[in-house]
Amino acid sequence: MNVSHTFKPPRRLKPELLQEIRGGSLRPLVYIGSISYGIYLLHLLAGRTAAKMLVMLGVETSWQLAFAATTLGAIVSAGLSFQFFESRFLALKVH
């Protein structure tokens, strides 16, 4: 198979996509992207905490409930960490 052309990614994003990102339909994904390092760091702690809280509350847990509680806990804790901790250090970064 002879391929006469190679894939070249666009040099810049299309204006419609930029408008969609800035306009709001992709804002939750952009936010998740900005706190993703915190999610990575805190997801195990969130999972352990969620599991212990569910046991303390006497809730019969399934993997779906544990996953949802862990995800929610990781996103909330990463958002707080980003707002009150990481953003201050990022502001010190020399561009």
Side-chain angles (χ1 to χ4, degrees), residues 81-95:
S81 171
F82 183 81
Q83 182 176 357
F84 295 112
F85 187 71
E86 294 175 49
S87 61
R88 295 173 195 243
F89 285 101
L90 290 174
L92 298 173
K93 193 164 119 177
V94 178
H95 297 285

Side-chain angles (χ1 to χ4, degrees), residues 7-14:
F7 173 75
K8 293 182 183 178
R11 292 192 178 262
R12 57 190 159 101
L13 294 175
K14 294 182 181 180

Side-chain angles (χ1 to χ4, degrees), residues 31-94:
Y31 178 71
I32 293 293
S34 68
I35 66 169
S36 63
Y37 185 65
I39 292 172
Y40 165 71
L41 289 178
L42 297 168
H43 78 279
L44 288 176
L45 179 63
R48 299 269 176 147
T49 304
K52 287 184 179 185
M53 288 183 72
L54 290 172
V55 168
M56 283 176 41
L57 294 172
V59 177
E60 188 175 325
T61 59
S62 63
W63 72 266
Q64 295 94 339
L65 181 59
F67 179 80
T70 299
T71 302
L72 180 64
I75 289 172
V76 168
S77 60
L80 291 171
S81 171
F82 183 81
Q83 182 176 357
F84 295 112
F85 187 71
E86 294 175 49
S87 61
R88 295 173 195 243
F89 285 101
L90 290 174
L92 298 173
K93 193 164 119 177
V94 178

Side-chain angles (χ1 to χ4, degrees), residues 18-34:
L18 282 175
Q19 184 178 7
E20 200 172 323
I21 290 170
R22 291 182 187 140
S25 66
L26 297 177
R27 285 184 76 185
L29 292 178
V30 172
Y31 178 71
I32 293 293
S34 68

